[in-house]
Amino acid sequence: MEERLKRILEIALSYNVTDIHFSADQRNKNNVTVEMRVNGKMKRLKPESDDLKLFFYLMYRANLDVSDTLNPQTGSMQEKVGKQILSLRFAVVSSYHIISGVLRILNNHSTLKIDDLTVQKEAVEWMKSITRHRSGLFIFSGPTGSGKTTSLYTILNECEGKKIFTLEDPVEVDSEHYVQLQINDKQHLSYAEGIKQLMRHDPDIIMIGEIRDDTAARMAVRSSLTGHLVVTSIHSSSCISAVHRMLDLGVEQYQLQDVLRGVSNQRLYESCKGNKTGVYEIMTGKDLHEYFEKGKASLRFRTIEENIKLAVSNGIISESQAAADLIA
């Protein structure tokens, strides 16, 4: 099992993959697939006869209950591959026929600079400006796989001389640059309790990994209201829908308007030069004020679709890549 695991991890490292997917068919115990996402597409590894044993071996190594495949479970472990010690998280969930497991490599991330995230000058300047703020709320939005977490961590990595704490559910990237707390209801560490504890440690910056519910939304705003710089992410299709999402989660508009300094929405593509690049929609300052006051974006505001089309016309990304995001 150990050798099979190391080979899979070596393949993942060679392609800079962070998530390895395992699917076991409960109707056919020999039908186990191992896949990983390479350049946005799922690639299946050549199956081996002991892959089902590997699945349960991962559960054992992650301190999960191997006799319980019905309830969702998440655990962690470490594995040495070559000279590198990998921090791993294994999450298991079961449907009627399929047991699904995802092995995430938490520290398989090269250190990026803000300039590496995108060629959009206005987006680069805006993200760099966040590192100079002392307070306020900044929200990064977009669909799954759009690079929101990468944007957040990259900005944090460029905030030198700051006391940084993160509150995540779960921790997505293992970092030594800041203190990371993981939400754990069993240990009574909720968002509310986590924020309460962080305030006792005099933070300069608080990163709330992802806003999924009303508690996380309220905590993000409350932390900003106390004079802290807060960065977070939320699932949405645009900057405006990100604002709507916060309001739908029960945040008072007057409070959000008081602390919100900027919202972005992004998509991630492989550029024509072969590297990953983000395309960003950004709403800040006057645009946010005008939206809150008039309920619509200003004429100067450029939508994510307009930015994607501009990236295509400038030869940054291909038209075929952009097609799915430009469907009306």
Side-chain angles (χ1 to χ4, degrees), residues 187-221:
Q187 295 181 358
H188 307 292
L189 186 61
S190 62
Y191 277 108
E193 182 61 27
I195 292 294
K196 180 180 177 181
Q197 295 299 326
L198 292 186
M199 292 305 177
R200 297 171 178 170
H201 293 267
D202 190 27
D204 293 307
I205 303 173
I206 297 172
M207 189 268 268
I208 297 177
E210 183 181 335
I211 292 178
R212 297 192 186 102
D213 55 33
D214 56 347
T215 302
R218 289 197 302 271
M219 290 302 103
V221 172

Side-chain angles (χ1 to χ4, degrees), residues 57-64 74-77 88-91:
Y57 174 71
L58 288 170
M59 291 186 68
Y60 167 75
R61 285 285 307 278
N63 294 313
L64 305 184
T74 303
S76 59
M77 54 188 273
L88 307 171
R89 184 181 71 228
F90 193 50

Side-chain angles (χ1 to χ4, degrees), residues 245-261:
R245 178 79 176 125
M246 291 292 288
L247 296 175
D248 288 343
L249 288 171
V251 173
E252 295 290 346
Q253 180 171 321
Y254 75 92
Q255 290 186 329
L256 185 61
Q257 188 172 352
D258 187 36
V259 299
L260 188 59
R261 299 289 177 266

Side-chain angles (χ1 to χ4, degrees), residues 134-151:
R134 298 182 65 181
S135 62
L137 174 64
F138 291 87
I139 300 174
F140 285 76
S141 67
T144 300
S146 59
K148 301 184 296 297
T149 300
T150 299
S151 294

Side-chain angles (χ1 to χ4, degrees), residues 1 153 172 197 203 211-212 218 223 243 245 281 293:
M1 294 303 98
Y153 279 109
E172 297 292 340
Q197 295 299 326
I211 292 178
R212 297 192 186 102
R218 289 197 302 271
S223 302
V243 173
R245 178 79 176 125
E281 169 189 285
E293 293 298 319

